[in-house]
Amino acid sequence: QKIMERAIHDWRDWRGEGLVAPRIAVNVAAAQLRNDDFVPALKRALEVLDGDPSALGIEVTESILISNMERAIEMLQQVRSLGVPVAIDDFGTGYSSLAYIVTLPIDELKIDRAFVKKITADAAYEGIVRTCVSLARGLNLKVVAEGVETEAQAAALRTLGCDQAQGFFYSPPVPADQLARMLKAGPFTPPAV
């Protein structure tokens, strides 16, 4: 809960400075999803923004969902009813099942970095990423690639139709004040290759 509150605080500060603040993804652990106070705490955190959900997104891993699918579906439906999008993190490395992906109330798939890392070196990995993108498209989900480290990977992902990407190619993790400076500097410019 403290992480959600901090994310909302930072987001509100950036907006207050007139910056186009990005949605902040918050990873949710299994214990949080089992906690009856999770959704009420999220709702309370959003009250600071008058209920505006555009500050946050929730990310969960496949393995967390599998441990109690019914409960996970119920909780994620409540999260989405607040307008907060839900992503499956590290997709493809857990217990991937087409049956549950269709059932889950989710908004995006995040392709695990293990596949992205080898996308330009191994046709099999490119095929896996292509399949993930196609699956996401078929289910009307946004698809995000994790762990992008090179221009070649970024280019391959663009060609495959990935919606977004994240990784060290764009920026290492930075503290909130440094991110504010980056937002003030304007749109991202890829490093020279």
Side-chain angles (χ1 to χ4, degrees), residues 20-142:
V20 179
R23 185 181 298 278
I24 300 173
V26 176
N27 291 86
V28 174
Q32 289 172 289
L33 270 190
R34 287 193 297 267
N35 188 334
D36 287 336
D37 193 47
F38 176 69
V39 174
L42 176 58
K43 194 172 188 176
R44 287 192 301 272
L46 290 172
E47 282 171 4
V48 174
L49 305 171
D50 298 321
D52 180 358
S54 55
L56 288 182
I58 299 299
E59 295 187 358
V60 292
T61 59
E62 296 170 78
S63 53
I64 285 174
L65 300 173
I66 291 299
S67 62
N68 188 341
M69 185 63 76
E70 262 184 46
R71 174 71 171 165
I73 288 172
E74 177 191 333
M75 295 296 280
L76 296 182
Q77 284 172 335
Q78 291 178 46
V79 168
R80 291 178 83 216
S81 74
L82 297 174
V84 175
V86 176
I88 297 288
D89 198 18
D90 303 332
F91 181 72
T93 58
Y95 302 94
S96 298
S97 162
L98 295 179
Y100 89 73
I101 288 294
V102 169
T103 309
L104 287 171
I106 57 174
D107 301 282
E108 64 183 57
L109 294 181
K110 297 190 76 177
I111 301 171
D112 188 79
R113 67 187 70 248
F115 304 125
V116 173
K117 183 176 183 176
K118 298 181 180 177
I119 192 173
T120 58
D122 187 328
Y125 284 88
E126 181 184 339
I128 290 171
V129 173
R130 185 185 311 279
T131 300
C132 290
V133 171
S134 178
L135 173 64
R137 289 282 170 269
L139 297 174
N140 201 27
L141 302 173
K142 186 165 88 172

Side-chain angles (χ1 to χ4, degrees), residues 148-152 154-155 158 167-172 182 187-193:
V148 179
E149 296 180 357
T150 68
E151 169 59 42
R158 280 191 297 271
F168 280 79
F169 174 67
Y170 304 103
S171 173
M182 292 167 73
F188 167 78
T189 305
V193 193

